[in-house]
Amino acid sequence: LKPTVSAARAAPPTAFRIACLRSVTCSSLLLSSALLLACGRGEAPPVDAAPAAEGSGSGAVEAEAAPPPEAAPIPRSPWRPMVLIVPPEARESLLQQARDAEQRGQLYGSEPPGALDLYLALAGAEPPMPGAEEGVQRVLSRLAAQFEDERRAGLLESARLRADVLDVLRPEEAAEREARLQEARRALALVEEGRERELAGKWLAPRGGSAVAAYREALAQVPGFGPAKAALAGLEAKLLARAEEARAKQDFAAAEEALRRASRVGVDPAAVQDARAALARERAERARQALLAAGEAMDRLDLPGAAQRIAEAREADPQALGLDEAVKRLAMVRRYGHFQPGQVFSDAMAGGGEGPRMVVIPHGRFLMGAAEGEPGARDNERPQREVVFERGFALAVHEVTVEEFAAFVAATGYRTVAERRGRSTVYDERSGAMVELRGAHWRRGYLGRAAAGPRDPVLHVAFEDAAAYADWLAARTGQRYRLPSEAEFEYALRAGERAPWPWGRSVPARAPGNLTGDGDVSPQGRRWGRPIRGWSDGHWGPAPVGSFPAEGFGTRDLIGNVSEWVEDCWHDSYRRAPPDGRAWVNPGCGERVVRGGSWASTQEQARSAFRLQVPATLTTARIGFRVARDL
C-alpha cells in the first residue's frame, strides 16, 4: 500500500471545517502509507526538525537579528493539516511521536508530520485519543506566543506563517491577528523613516521630525518593538561613544552635551549614569591636578599662571572640591602676596638679623581729607576724595627706633643730614620752644643732649635719611621697602573711622597716643599752653615705641608720639592727586609732607586729615618715620 498525503493537503478548508464538528480537531483524517508501515513494525518513525522556512521557532528573536523593515504587504501561505489515518494499534506510538515533536519545537507541517498534525489526527480518531486535544491546544498557544514574539521582533514573514496556521484552527481571532500584523508593518515603516533621519543627522531634532521621534512612534504602535528598541539603543551607543571620545580629549563640555543627548534617548539610563560617573571622576581629577598647579603658581607668586590653572579647573569641574578656596586664595595673593590682613611679620636680612616688625594693612577704600565743616580743617586738606587700595600693603608696627637706625648706620657708615650739618632742632624746656642746637643728631633725644634710648623713636632725621634707611632695608631683605604714601598713612590712621579724629569725636577715657594732654607735666613742672582736655598720656617728649594700645589695623603710635615723613611731595590741595593711594611725587621737589601727631601736637593737629608742609632737609625732635613695604 502506498497512499500519499498530497491529495489530502489540497483539500479545501471548507471541507476540512465541515469534518471537524466535534471539536477543533477532525475525525476524518487518513494515515499516510509511510506511517502505517512504521506502525505495523511497532516502532515510531524518527521525526526531524521542521525546515526553517516552515517556522519551527523557539521564541522571540534578538532585535539585532531583525531584517530590514518592509512596508509592503506580507504574502500569505495558506496552511492545511496533513491527512493521517490512525490505526488503533499505533495510537500510543503516535501520541509519543507528537509529544517528542512538540518537545523539539517541530510544531507543524513537515515530513514526518509535526506535533500539531499528529495531535489533530489522534484527537479526530474514534474514539479520540486522551491527551490529544490538550496537545492541540498547547501547540496552538505556543504558536500564538511565537506569533506575538516574532511580531514584536519585527520578523513579520515568520509571524505571518504562524498566523496562517492559527487562522485555520482559531479563525475567530484572525481579524485581531491581522490588525496586529498591520500595526507591526506601520512600526517597521516608522523605523525605516527613523533610520533615514538618523543618516541625515536629525537624531534628536527637530521636534517631531527626529529619528528618536520616529523610533518612539514605532514603539507606541507596537510596545516593545524590537527594531525600534535596537535603533534607539544604537543611537544611544553612538552618543555614548561621542562622549567617551570627547572625554579622552578632555573636551568636557562636548562630553557633557553628548551625555545629555544620550539621556534624552532614554534606553539605558544605567549606562548613561555610568558614563556620567566616569566623566565626573575624570573632570574631578583634572580639576584636582589644575588646582595643585594653581597652588604651586601662587607659591611662586605667578599670578597669571595661577589664574590660568584655576580657569582650567573651573572648566574641568565647576563644582571641584577646593575651587572656591583657590579662587579666594588667588584674590588674597593678588592683594597680599603670601600674607593675610592683620598678619605681623619680619623679613630676614642678608648677613643675619631681621627687619622691623610689619603689619599687613587690608585693601579697601576710604575718603581722604577733611570733610566740609570739619573744625580746624584747612584748604590744603581738600577736596575730600575717595582713594581705593586694590592691594594691601605692609606698614611698620611702630616708628623706626634708635636701635634699628643704628644697625643701618653700622652696616653702611651712613652720616645723616644733621650730622653733616652739625645741628638739629630740639625742645628747649626753659623757654618751652623748639630751638636749634649744635651737636644734636639721631643718637640724641628730644632735648638734644642726652643719649636716646634704644627703643625710642629715632629723631633728628631728614627726609633723605629716612629714604636711605628704607633703601638699605630693601637691599638687605630683597623686598620693596619704602616710605609710606600720604594716603596710606591716613588710611591706616583712620582704620575705618570717618570722624575728624582717629579715636572718634569725643576724647577717650584712656589716652590712645602721645599728644599734648592737660594731664602732662614736664620734668620741670611745665604744662602745655593749649592742651587736650581730659587727656593724660604720661609722657613729656617721645615715649618708647609701642607704649600705647594697638590701633585699628594693628599699628602703634600713628595717633601720636612723633610726626612722620611720608613719600609725597607737598601739594597745596588734592586736585589731580592719584586715586589709587600712590605717593604723589614730582622730581626734585624740595618740600615733603609730614603726617600724624607728635608728643607736642594739639588736638587740632591730631586730626586724621592734618598734614604739614616741611622742607625735605628739616631735622627736628618732633619728626621721625616708619617704613612701608609692597606685598
Side-chain angles (χ1 to χ4, degrees), residues 63-82:
E64 288 76 1
E70 297 178 5
I74 304 168
R76 303 198 62 168
S77 177
W79 176 83
R80 297 290 181 270
M82 295 181 68

Side-chain angles (χ1 to χ4, degrees), residues 1-5 31-34 36-37:
L1 295 176
K2 296 184 180 179
T4 64
V5 297
L31 186 61
S32 69
S33 59
L36 285 173
L37 291 173

Side-chain angles (χ1 to χ4, degrees), residues 241-298:
R242 284 190 178 183
E244 179 59 24
E245 291 173 4
R247 183 181 73 83
K249 297 175 182 177
Q250 295 189 345
D251 186 353
F252 299 123
E256 286 287 358
E257 174 62 17
L259 290 178
R260 184 188 67 80
R261 298 180 72 197
S263 68
R264 288 176 57 193
V265 177
V267 172
D268 190 352
V272 176
Q273 187 61 35
D274 289 345
R276 283 192 187 280
L279 179 61
R281 289 192 296 271
E282 177 79 14
R283 299 186 74 163
E285 177 59 21
R286 174 61 180 153
R288 188 183 72 83
Q289 294 291 341
L291 290 176
L292 285 175
E296 293 171 357
M298 285 186 272

Side-chain angles (χ1 to χ4, degrees), residues 65-433:
E70 297 178 5
I74 304 168
R76 303 198 62 168
S77 177
W79 176 83
R80 297 290 181 270
M82 295 181 68
V83 178
L84 303 173
I85 297 174
V86 182
E89 65 276 14
R91 288 160 57 95
E92 291 294 337
S93 177
L94 291 176
L95 181 61
Q96 186 59 47
Q97 289 185 47
R99 289 170 178 167
D100 291 343
E102 181 184 355
Q103 183 68 27
R104 292 192 306 271
Q106 182 188 339
L107 301 184
Y108 64 92
S110 164
E111 298 272 353
L116 182 59
D117 300 273
L118 292 169
Y119 283 134
L120 285 171
L122 291 168
E126 290 294 344
M129 184 67 178
E133 180 65 26
E134 291 81 354
V136 170
Q137 298 306 320
R138 282 197 309 274
V139 171
L140 292 179
S141 296
R142 188 166 171 180
L143 286 172
Q146 288 180 352
F147 164 81
E148 187 59 29
D149 289 343
E150 291 166 346
R151 186 185 76 93
R152 289 180 182 274
L155 303 176
L156 302 193
E157 290 187 3
S158 295
R160 174 82 272 169
L161 293 175
R162 308 289 185 252
D164 288 341
V165 176
L166 292 167
D167 287 352
V168 172
L169 299 177
R170 289 183 178 177
E172 67 279 4
E173 300 170 357
E176 180 182 352
R177 275 188 294 274
E178 187 61 30
R180 294 174 74 79
L181 280 172
Q182 296 309 314
E183 288 175 351
R185 286 183 58 226
R186 289 191 293 271
L188 271 178
L190 285 167
V191 170
E192 183 60 30
E193 174 65 20
R195 287 172 176 160
E196 292 175 2
R197 293 176 184 178
E198 190 174 331
L199 290 173
K202 300 176 181 179
W203 292 15
L204 289 134
R207 186 180 182 88
S210 67
V212 168
Y215 298 148
R216 286 179 178 164
E217 190 176 351
L219 286 171
Q221 284 283 329
V222 180
F225 194 54
K229 289 172 63 177
L232 284 170
L235 190 56
E236 184 179 84
K238 291 177 184 178
L239 289 168
L240 290 174
R242 284 190 178 183
E244 179 59 24
E245 291 173 4
R247 183 181 73 83
K249 297 175 182 177
Q250 295 189 345
D251 186 353
F252 299 123
E256 286 287 358
E257 174 62 17
L259 290 178
R260 184 188 67 80
R261 298 180 72 197
S263 68
R264 288 176 57 193
V265 177
V267 172
D268 190 352
V272 176
Q273 187 61 35
D274 289 345
R276 283 192 187 280
L279 179 61
R281 289 192 296 271
E282 177 79 14
R283 299 186 74 163
E285 177 59 21
R286 174 61 180 153
R288 188 183 72 83
Q289 294 291 341
L291 290 176
L292 285 175
E296 293 171 357
M298 285 186 272
D299 291 341
R300 301 189 303 270
L301 294 183
D302 176 11
L303 303 188
Q308 177 63 29
R309 301 291 88 75
I310 288 175
E312 291 172 2
R314 180 182 287 108
E315 182 179 0
D317 184 2
Q319 307 301 321
L321 184 65
L323 178 59
D324 290 344
E325 290 75 9
V327 170
K328 291 176 183 176
R329 185 188 172 196
L330 179 59
M332 293 291 287
V333 171
R334 280 176 171 156
R335 293 182 172 119
Y336 305 109
H338 294 308
F339 302 99
Q340 300 288 325
Q343 181 178 345
V344 176
F345 67 94
S346 296
D347 285 316
M349 300 195 350
E354 293 184 337
R357 294 175 69 236
M358 309 294 291
V359 62
V360 178
I361 306 300
H363 79 287
R365 61 184 65 217
F366 82 115
L367 289 177
M368 182 176 179
E372 292 298 327
E374 182 175 308
R378 304 176 183 182
D379 288 343
N380 61 42
E381 300 167 6
R382 299 189 178 100
Q384 193 177 46
R385 66 202 182 96
E386 183 178 63
V387 176
V388 178
F389 294 96
E390 295 291 347
R391 287 181 55 84
F393 59 95
L395 195 61
V397 173
H398 51 69
E399 305 101 334
V400 173
T401 66
V402 171
E403 182 179 40
E404 290 168 338
F405 198 81
F408 156 61
V409 172
T412 63
Y414 182 84
R415 295 184 73 239
T416 64
V417 170
E419 287 175 304
R420 283 177 270 152
R421 191 166 50 202
R423 64 184 183 276
S424 185
T425 301
V426 301
Y427 176 71
D428 179 31
E429 191 168 2
R430 288 178 298 177
S431 64

Side-chain angles (χ1 to χ4, degrees), residues 312-629:
E312 291 172 2
R314 180 182 287 108
E315 182 179 0
D317 184 2
Q319 307 301 321
L321 184 65
L323 178 59
D324 290 344
E325 290 75 9
V327 170
K328 291 176 183 176
R329 185 188 172 196
L330 179 59
M332 293 291 287
V333 171
R334 280 176 171 156
R335 293 182 172 119
Y336 305 109
H338 294 308
F339 302 99
Q340 300 288 325
Q343 181 178 345
V344 176
F345 67 94
S346 296
D347 285 316
M349 300 195 350
E354 293 184 337
R357 294 175 69 236
M358 309 294 291
V359 62
V360 178
I361 306 300
H363 79 287
R365 61 184 65 217
F366 82 115
L367 289 177
M368 182 176 179
E372 292 298 327
E374 182 175 308
R378 304 176 183 182
D379 288 343
N380 61 42
E381 300 167 6
R382 299 189 178 100
Q384 193 177 46
R385 66 202 182 96
E386 183 178 63
V387 176
V388 178
F389 294 96
E390 295 291 347
R391 287 181 55 84
F393 59 95
L395 195 61
V397 173
H398 51 69
E399 305 101 334
V400 173
T401 66
V402 171
E403 182 179 40
E404 290 168 338
F405 198 81
F408 156 61
V409 172
T412 63
Y414 182 84
R415 295 184 73 239
T416 64
V417 170
E419 287 175 304
R420 283 177 270 152
R421 191 166 50 202
R423 64 184 183 276
S424 185
T425 301
V426 301
Y427 176 71
D428 179 31
E429 191 168 2
R430 288 178 298 177
S431 64
M434 302 296 292
V435 299
E436 277 200 345
L437 179 68
R438 287 186 175 278
H441 54 76
W442 67 272
R443 296 182 186 275
R444 308 290 172 85
Y446 75 106
L447 297 174
R449 294 182 177 84
R455 295 293 295 166
D456 287 347
V458 68
L459 308 173
H460 308 297
V461 286
F463 175 85
E464 67 179 82
D465 302 330
Y469 175 83
D471 290 343
W472 172 73
L473 271 182
R476 288 290 297 273
T477 62
Q479 303 299 333
R480 291 170 291 188
Y481 279 92
R482 54 181 173 75
L483 295 180
S485 71
E486 187 178 2
E488 288 172 336
F489 191 99
E490 184 174 332
Y491 177 63
L493 176 62
R494 288 183 181 275
E497 178 60 62
R498 299 184 65 175
W501 292 275
W503 58 79
R505 296 184 179 276
S506 58
V507 175
R510 180 185 176 187
N514 186 8
L515 298 168
T516 56
D518 58 5
D520 297 343
V521 182
S522 76
Q524 294 184 6
R526 183 179 290 278
R527 292 180 179 274
W528 298 112
R530 295 172 57 196
I532 303 172
R533 297 186 180 279
W535 190 284
S536 178
D537 54 52
H539 294 276
W540 189 281
V545 298
S547 297
F548 295 89
E551 292 139 350
F553 285 159
T555 56
R556 292 174 181 264
D557 308 325
L558 287 176
I559 288 175
N561 200 28
V562 292
S563 297
E564 302 178 22
W565 291 108
V566 293
E567 186 73 26
D568 300 64
C569 294
W570 174 261
H571 298 86
D572 58 8
S573 78
Y574 290 134
R575 293 182 181 87
R576 299 186 303 279
D580 58 1
R582 289 178 292 117
W584 190 5
V585 178
N586 307 109
C589 64
E591 294 180 318
R592 298 283 176 163
V593 178
V594 166
R595 279 300 204 122
S598 77
W599 53 273
S601 294
T602 64
Q603 185 170 359
E604 177 187 302
Q605 295 168 336
R607 288 178 303 106
S608 297
F610 183 75
R611 55 201 296 258
L612 277 176
Q613 175 185 5
V614 177
T617 56
L618 178 68
T619 63
T620 173
R622 296 179 60 177
I623 299 176
F625 73 99
R626 74 180 70 208
V627 292
R629 175 192 183 286

